[in-house]
């Protein structure tokens, strides 16, 4: 019942805040829309707490650097962005162009300074859209949220961490702040929230720029997956189990790991 009520409140809030944003899409500057969307994410956090019964705990705020940096977050749930966004001032984010299919959302993303990746145009177009977004973020001195796996990972699994986050950090010359979470225990992928409890997002020690790509990706994967496994165990009361690597799902589809997926990786 709580999950159904939250889903209803989610859509009411989403449509309501989009409508409130409309008059400001033609407004000079981006301040009003960014303020409105920040308020929207806080409203979703309140709905999570008071309707879905999911409290939020933030750890590691003191580790956030001054100035611009990249946040590389575990991506278990449609809701983890709502947890992170209100915690970091002047935050841009990387997203696929699928969000632009929703009416009016494209204009809001532009005002927010989102880095929208062309997910249907192949590698060259993806690289071009990412490079353009990085250039703008660097120029504005903003923080950028990116999900290195590129997909929503079921709890207990992870995808290969992509090199886009390394290219972004190197191009901007900024540190990367890893983020671990256990939100997927309570709000799995795009499902309706089902369990009550405390969802944790934890900012981890920043990784400085300048590391070789392979070393950086290995270090990022290790720290995020190790801490995420501990947070999941904390939420479930079960022993710590490291996430299993699975193949990326087909474009536009949600991951649902199978026995053949796991067998293929064991052979590899």
């Amino acid at each position: 019942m709580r999950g159904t009520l939250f889903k209803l409140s989610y859509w009411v809030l989403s449509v309501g805040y989009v409508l409130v944003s409309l008059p400001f899409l033609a407004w000079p500057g981006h301040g009003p829309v960014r303020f409105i969307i920040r308020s929207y994410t806080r409203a979703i956090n309140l709905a999570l707490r008071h309707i879905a019964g999911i409290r939020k705990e933030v750890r590691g705020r003191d580790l956030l650097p001054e100035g611009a940096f990249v946040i590389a977050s575990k991506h278990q749930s449609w809701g983890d962005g709502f947890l992170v966004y209100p915690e970091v001032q002047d935050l841009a984010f990387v997203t696929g162009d699928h969000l632009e299919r929703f009416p009016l959302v494209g204009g809001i993303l532009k005002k927010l300074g989102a880095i929208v990746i062309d997910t249907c145009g192949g590698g060259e177009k993806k690289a071009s859209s990412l490079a353009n977004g990085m250039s703008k973020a660097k120029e504005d001195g903003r923080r950028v949220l990116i999900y290195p796996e590129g997909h929503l990972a079921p709890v207990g699994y992870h995808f290969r961490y992509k090199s886009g986050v390394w290219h972004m950090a190197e191009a901007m010359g900024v540190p990367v702040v890893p983020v671990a979470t256990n939100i997927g225990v309570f709000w799995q992928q795009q499902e309706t929230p089902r369990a009550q409890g405390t969802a944790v997002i934890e900012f981890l020690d920043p990784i400085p720029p300048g590391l070789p790509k392979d070393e950086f990706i290995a270090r990022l994967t290790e720290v995020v997956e190790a801490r995420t496994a501990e947070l999941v165990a904390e939420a479930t009361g079960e022993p710590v189990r490291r996430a299993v690597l699975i193949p990326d799902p087909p474009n536009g589809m949600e991951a649902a790991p199978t026995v053949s997926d796991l067998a293929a990786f064991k052979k590899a």
Side-chain angles (χ1 to χ4, degrees):
M1 183 64 178
R2 280 178 175 265
T4 302
L5 289 175
F6 172 78
K7 188 174 183 179
L8 176 62
S9 69
Y10 169 83
W11 285 110
V12 168
L13 287 169
S14 298
V15 172
Y17 273 92
V18 166
L19 294 177
V20 170
S21 299
L22 286 184
F24 299 100
L25 295 184
W27 194 277
H30 52 249
V33 172
R34 290 183 183 176
F35 175 81
I36 290 167
I37 298 305
R38 193 173 182 84
S39 298
Y40 163 60
T41 59
R42 287 172 173 160
I44 294 293
N45 277 248
L46 288 173
L48 276 171
R49 180 180 179 89
H50 297 294
I51 299 176
I54 301 173
R55 296 177 299 278
K56 170 183 172 180
E57 180 180 345
V58 182
R59 301 175 185 173
R61 281 195 190 95
D62 58 312
L63 297 175
L64 295 176
E66 296 293 329
F69 53 86
V70 174
I71 293 176
S73 179
K74 182 66 181 174
H75 199 22
Q76 292 179 333
S77 167
W78 192 256
D80 47 32
F82 292 108
L83 300 186
V84 173
Y85 192 87
E87 301 303 324
V88 182
Q89 292 288 338
D90 200 23
L91 183 64
F93 54 90
V94 177
T95 183
D97 55 6
H98 63 283
L99 288 180
E100 293 184 326
R101 295 197 301 263
F102 295 96
L104 309 173
V105 171
I108 293 174
L109 292 176
K110 186 175 181 180
K111 284 288 188 179
L112 292 175
I115 301 173
V116 182
I117 304 299
D118 186 337
T119 56
C120 299
E124 289 185 4
K125 286 192 174 181
K126 287 181 182 180
S128 176
S129 53
L130 183 60
N132 291 337
M134 286 191 300
S135 176
K136 181 62 176 172
K138 183 178 181 180
E139 178 184 328
D140 295 343
R142 302 191 68 194
R143 292 83 182 267
V144 181
L145 169 64
I146 187 171
Y147 297 107
E149 294 171 278
H151 304 280
L152 288 165
V155 172
Y157 299 92
H158 77 93
F159 303 106
R160 294 193 190 280
Y161 281 52
K162 314 303 187 294
S163 61
V165 60
W166 179 83
H167 288 290
M168 175 175 286
E170 290 300 303
M172 296 176 66
V174 297
V176 172
V177 177
V179 176
T181 186
N182 60 12
I183 178 64
V185 172
F186 311 100
W187 186 352
Q188 176 75 42
Q189 293 172 287
Q190 298 183 60
E191 297 176 0
T192 300
R194 294 181 178 178
Q196 300 176 50
T198 300
V200 178
I201 56 168
E202 184 168 348
F203 300 106
L204 306 173
D205 289 319
I207 302 175
L211 294 179
K213 181 172 65 175
D214 290 347
E215 180 182 343
F216 170 87
I217 294 297
R219 179 170 169 181
L220 177 65
T221 303
E222 173 61 26
V223 296
V224 172
E225 292 303 325
R227 187 58 184 147
T228 292
E230 293 170 352
L231 293 178
V232 168
E234 180 181 316
T236 60
E238 298 177 358
V240 176
R241 296 187 180 91
R242 291 298 298 269
V244 176
L245 178 65
I246 55 174
D248 287 1
N251 190 38
M253 295 184 65
E254 189 172 275
T258 65
V259 172
S260 60
D261 290 335
L262 305 182
F265 269 105
K266 285 179 181 177
K267 288 180 181 178

